[in-house]
């Protein structure tokens, strides 16, 4: 398919570039007219994590649903500072009468070089000044309540699922964190959780069911979050601005939000930055407006407006600023493709990157054969210069760090647009669900290369090569030994969440097996039905497994029971080291390992 390239640049002579037909969502906010005294009002929960959580137990906030967030950055890219006027406006719907409620906002960090150092200016609720304070989290389910002053409950751990120093039996209260990337990773086991819960008390309670807006103004330096595995994520300083890549929790290091994967408001961005800079965000570019010189921006400024009509999970919000060269192309199926590279990347490297970036539409169409229609109105890639240690599936604007893009990784991140982005994991323990699907995309890419070599997708030899390559990859993974099977995908430790075989290769092999068990057509139908049923929302492990169960070709109670055994073995079991008998003992037709079906095609 071909399309039209439109070059967008802040050097445009005209004052504004407006793409018509796209309006900014501006939810109406009605002033509550309710007699508060008759209502039972209480504080919203300071976490959305279930009791006993040891993965980011401090994140998310209850008592309301996040509907829409307008990000209104006023950012000096030279100084790497948010200036006065910088704010976010969050539109929420109360699910109870709220005397107070909270947001996640790590405005200060022990990491004094790359961490955030921001200052709160003011908070309003429905336009009226509100009181605010920062508190430490308590562990979910703390019998003494979420204001428990017991400091023993406030300890972080890197590798131990219980909190703090070895013998503390209490669950941890916050995400594992290090002020630097020193090893060993548990050197600071037992550190107090930072006070990153921003608790807001409105001048009058917010009635249950009402829609309300919260405006938080703040200034200062955004930064990165130090994570339990020694990596950082969030707002990376680039020589020409900031590069935003944030999984799993780093969004709160540059803006206050309901920082939980299942909280998915729609987003608008209206960012004012130094003249000459480019802003990249989720969704579609609405306008670029040049502003005259001001006290904050003596050289003039430019306001970039983006809009995401689709909900965006907390860790997928993109808002990078720098000397990016941005192009936009409208494909003939109506999807907009954005490509951006930092101008500091050497020209030769940029050319090589571009050749890979230009494949995104083709990759999207290939992946659509399995997942169904691409879920968003735009897609894109940004290649930045900071050496963030990962690439990320930011919704409709995939980030590549270090000035470099890789084709296999683009298959992976683009697959996430369906799995993780459109249908989001309900909680961090479900990370394996979407990483397994994205790893499957890399395996499908290898199969596609073999298919092309053997005669292409319309030749029997090509199709046989495609299938044989998937089988080979399953068998290679299934032959793994050592510690490969020792962690249960659905019960990850903070330290290995984004590095272990349990998150990536093991669930991807389970999906190849499922494709054999269900049949290729049924596997695809199951995936497409999940997209239709859960798109724009999140999914639990039980819902994910039930979706495959519906498409099991042999609907006997024995086969349904065997399928739940299959999921238990592949997703929920930690085996002793070694492989062999210490690994799942249910495979699929044509694959190594005990077959799902018996000789008669049944399951008994
Ligand atoms: Zn991934």
């Amino acid at each position: 398919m071909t399309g039209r390239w439109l070059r967008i640049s802040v050097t445009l002579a005209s004052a504004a570039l407006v793409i018509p037909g796209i309006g900014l969502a501006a939810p109406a906010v009605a002033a509550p007219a309710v007699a508060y005294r008759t209502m039972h009002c209480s504080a919203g929960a300071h976490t959305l994590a279930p009791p006993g959580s040891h993965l980011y137990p401090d994140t998310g906030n209850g008592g309301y649903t996040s509907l829409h967030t307008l990000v209104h950055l006023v950012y000096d890219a030279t100084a790497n500072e948010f200036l006065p006027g910088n704010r976010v406006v969050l539109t929420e719907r109360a699910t109870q009468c709220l005397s107070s409620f909270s947001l996640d906002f790590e405005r200060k960090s022990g990491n004094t070089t790359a961490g955030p150092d921001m200052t709160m200016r003011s908070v309003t609720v429905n336009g009226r000044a509100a009181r605010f304070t920062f508190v430490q989290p308590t562990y979910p389910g703390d019998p003494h309540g979420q204001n428990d002053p017991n400091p023993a409950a406030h300890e972080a751990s890197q590798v131990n699922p219980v909190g703090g120093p070895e013998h503390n039996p209490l669950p941890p209260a916050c995400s594992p964190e290090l002020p630097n990337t020193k090893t060993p990773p548990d050197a600071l086991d037992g550190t107090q959780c930072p006070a990153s819960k921003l608790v807001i008390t409105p001048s009058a309670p917010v009635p249950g069911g009402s829609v309300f807006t919260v405006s938080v103004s703040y200034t200062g330096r955004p930064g990165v979050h130090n994570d339990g595995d020694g990596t950082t994520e969030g707002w990376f300083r680039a020589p020409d601005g900031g590069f935003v890549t944030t999984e799993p929790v780093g969004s709160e290091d540059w803006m206050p939000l309901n920082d939980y994967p299942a909280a998915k408001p729609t987003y608008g961005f209206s960012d004012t930055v130094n003249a000459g800079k480019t802003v990249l965000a989720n969704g579609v570019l609405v306008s670029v407006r040049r502003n005259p010189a001001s006290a904050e921006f003596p050289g003039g400024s430019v306001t970039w407006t983006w809009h995401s009509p689709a909900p965006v999970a907390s860790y997928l919000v993109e808002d990078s600023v720098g000397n990016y060269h941005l192009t936009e192309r409208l494909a003939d199926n109506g999807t907009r493709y954005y490509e951006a590279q930092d101008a500091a990347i050497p020209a030769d490297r940029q050319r090589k990157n571009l050749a890979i970036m230009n494949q995104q539409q083709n990759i999207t169409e290939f992946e659509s054969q399995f997942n169904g229609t691409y879920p968003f109105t735009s897609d894109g890639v940004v290649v930045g210069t900071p050496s963030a240690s990962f690439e990320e599936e930011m919704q409709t604007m995939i980030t590549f760090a270090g000035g470099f893009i890789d084709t296999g990784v683009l298959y992976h991140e683009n697959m996430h647009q369906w799995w993780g982005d459109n249908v989001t994991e309900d909680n961090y323990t479900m990370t394996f669900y979407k990483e397994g699907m994205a790893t499957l995309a890399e395996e499908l890419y290898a199969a596609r290369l073999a298919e092309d070599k053997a005669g292409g997708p319309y030749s029997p030899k090509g199709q046989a090569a495609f299938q044989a390559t998937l089988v080979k990859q399953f068998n290679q993974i299934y032959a793994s030994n050592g510690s490969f099977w020792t962690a249960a995908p659905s019960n990850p430790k903070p330290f290995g969440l984004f590095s272990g075989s349990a998150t990536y290769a093991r669930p991807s092999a389970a999906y190849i097996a499922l494709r054999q068990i269900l049949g290729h057509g049924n596997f695809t139908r199951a995936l497409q039905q999940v997209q239709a049923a859960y798109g724009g929302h999140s999914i639990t492990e039980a819902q994910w497994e039930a979706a495959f169960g519906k498409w099991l070709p042999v609907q006997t109670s024995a086969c349904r029971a065997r399928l739940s055994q299959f999921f238990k073995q592949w997703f929920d079991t930690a085996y002793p080291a070694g492989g062999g008998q210490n690994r799942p003992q249910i495979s699929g037709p044509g694959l190594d390992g005990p077959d799902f079906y018996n000789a008669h095609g049944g399951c008994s």
Side-chain angles (χ1 to χ4, degrees):
M1 295 187 189
T2 57
R4 183 170 55 87
W5 285 94
L6 167 66
R7 180 161 297 182
I8 297 163
S9 164
V10 289
T11 56
L12 283 173
S14 62
L17 171 89
V18 177
I19 298 171
I22 303 158
L24 275 180
V29 178
V34 181
Y36 299 113
R37 279 193 185 87
T38 62
M39 297 184 299
H40 175 71
C41 303
S42 57
H46 290 183
T47 179
L48 289 175
S53 294
H54 54 261
L55 273 178
Y56 311 103
D58 52 324
T59 58
N61 305 276
Y64 61 88
T65 306
S66 300
L67 302 180
H68 181 74
T69 299
L70 175 62
V71 179
H72 191 97
L73 299 188
V74 181
Y75 175 69
D76 182 345
T78 310
N80 192 32
E81 291 262 333
F82 294 142
L83 303 177
N86 185 79
R87 66 189 184 278
V88 294
V89 181
L90 308 106
T91 303
E92 330 274 29
R93 179 183 288 118
T95 54
Q96 64 174 76
C97 180
L98 289 165
S99 54
S100 69
F101 59 90
S102 53
L103 294 167
D104 301 293
F105 190 34
E106 186 172 58
R107 74 207 191 290
K108 304 270 184 205
S109 166
N111 180 347
T112 53
T113 51
D117 185 10
M118 297 180 283
T119 303
M120 289 286 291
R121 296 288 170 174
S122 64
V123 177
T124 64
V125 177
N126 288 335
R128 299 174 69 175
R131 285 184 292 126
F132 62 88
T133 186
F134 284 88
V135 302
Q136 288 176 287
T138 47
Y139 67 86
D142 185 334
H144 304 295
Q146 63 185 9
N147 297 317
D148 183 359
N150 177 4
H154 299 159
E155 294 167 343
S157 172
Q158 313 300 332
V159 290
N160 190 334
V162 299
E166 295 295 313
H167 303 297
N168 184 348
L170 295 173
C174 68
S175 53
E177 200 166 348
L178 297 169
N180 55 48
T181 54
K182 276 181 195 156
T183 52
D186 55 351
L188 292 173
D189 200 13
T191 303
Q192 288 275 300
C193 295
S196 296
K197 302 303 293 191
L198 169 57
V199 178
I200 296 168
T201 305
S203 59
V206 178
S210 68
V211 173
F212 63 105
T213 59
V214 188
S215 179
V216 182
S217 299
Y218 57 102
T219 54
R221 183 188 73 201
V224 295
H225 179 84
N226 285 80
D227 233 316
D229 60 2
T231 63
T232 53
E233 83 265 359
W235 186 288
F236 289 88
R237 179 69 167 130
D240 53 341
F243 180 63
V244 170
T245 183
T246 47
E247 190 172 13
V249 298
S251 292
E252 65 180 89
D253 289 66
W254 64 272
M255 69 165 174
L257 79 163
N258 192 5
D259 200 0
Y260 202 75
K264 297 178 66 171
T266 55
Y267 271 85
F269 304 84
S270 182
D271 294 346
T272 299
V273 298
N274 316 63
K277 299 290 178 188
T278 300
V279 176
L280 307 168
N282 309 98
V284 292
L285 179 59
V286 179
S287 66
V288 182
R289 193 186 72 234
R290 297 177 72 185
N291 311 309
S294 63
E296 289 83 16
F297 297 104
S301 63
V302 56
T303 301
W304 289 72
T305 300
W306 291 78
H307 174 58
S308 170
V312 185
S314 55
Y315 67 94
L316 301 170
V317 182
E318 176 55 30
D319 204 359
S320 292
V321 182
N323 296 335
Y324 290 101
H325 173 64
L326 173 68
T327 59
E328 173 184 333
R329 181 173 60 87
L330 183 61
D332 52 9
N333 66 1
T335 305
R336 277 174 204 284
Y337 285 91
Y338 294 101
E339 295 181 343
Q341 297 200 66
D342 193 303
I345 299 169
D348 187 46
R349 183 74 253 162
Q350 284 201 45
R351 265 195 305 279
K352 286 175 182 153
N353 288 344
L354 195 61
I356 295 171
M357 295 161 80
N358 285 342
Q359 296 177 37
Q360 191 174 28
Q361 182 178 345
N362 180 278
I363 292 169
T364 302
E365 286 162 3
F366 171 74
E367 293 177 343
S368 298
Q369 293 172 26
F370 304 92
N371 306 328
T373 311
Y374 179 71
F376 306 121
T377 56
S378 65
D379 201 0
V381 173
V382 48
V383 186
T385 56
S387 59
S389 43
F390 56 93
E391 330 299 346
E392 192 184 343
E393 65 269 24
M394 311 308 274
Q395 188 162 305
T396 71
M397 192 64 82
I398 296 165
T399 53
F400 282 83
F404 179 83
I405 181 170
D406 172 84
T407 308
V409 180
L410 183 55
Y411 272 80
H412 176 115
E413 307 301 346
N414 205 66
M415 189 77 162
H416 273 310
Q417 301 301 312
W418 287 267
W419 310 108
D421 293 28
N422 191 40
V423 178
T424 304
E425 62 279 14
D426 75 317
N427 143 355
Y428 301 100
T429 56
M430 265 286 272
T431 299
F432 78 91
Y433 132 80
K434 53 112 177 174
E435 293 305 338
M437 286 302 293
T439 305
L440 177 65
E442 296 178 61
E443 291 153 2
L444 291 168
Y445 170 46
R448 189 187 191 192
L449 290 176
E451 179 182 67
D452 287 344
K453 214 172 160 189
Y458 301 106
S459 76
K461 276 185 180 167
Q463 289 163 8
F466 186 93
Q467 178 61 18
T469 305
L470 285 182
V471 169
K472 188 175 151 197
Q473 291 177 100
F474 174 91
N475 292 345
Q476 279 170 350
I477 292 170
Y478 193 62
S480 300
N481 47 33
S483 61
F484 187 91
W485 306 98
T486 57
S490 63
N491 187 24
K493 300 284 187 291
F495 188 67
L497 181 59
F498 291 101
S499 54
S501 55
T503 302
Y504 296 91
R506 179 166 160 182
S508 81
Y511 297 144
I512 294 176
L514 271 174
R515 185 167 172 269
Q516 296 299 98
I517 293 165
L518 269 55
H520 302 172
N522 275 10
F523 179 72
T524 292
R525 286 180 200 106
L527 297 185
Q528 298 188 3
Q529 198 167 61
V530 170
Q531 287 294 314
Y534 297 97
H537 302 280
S538 58
I539 192 168
T540 66
E541 185 181 349
Q543 290 167 333
W544 179 232
E545 293 171 3
F548 291 110
K550 273 188 223 156
W551 292 97
L552 197 58
V554 187
Q555 288 285 347
T556 60
S557 58
C559 281
R560 282 195 293 272
R562 191 149 170 85
L563 188 64
S564 37
Q565 277 303 109
F566 172 91
F567 286 126
K568 200 172 174 191
Q569 293 184 10
W570 280 91
F571 294 164
D572 304 327
T573 303
Y575 291 94
Q581 287 304 303
N582 297 330
R583 60 179 172 169
Q585 295 301 312
I586 303 175
S587 173
L591 305 172
D592 284 352
D595 196 349
F596 184 88
Y597 299 106
N598 62 27
H600 310 289
C603 298
S604 50

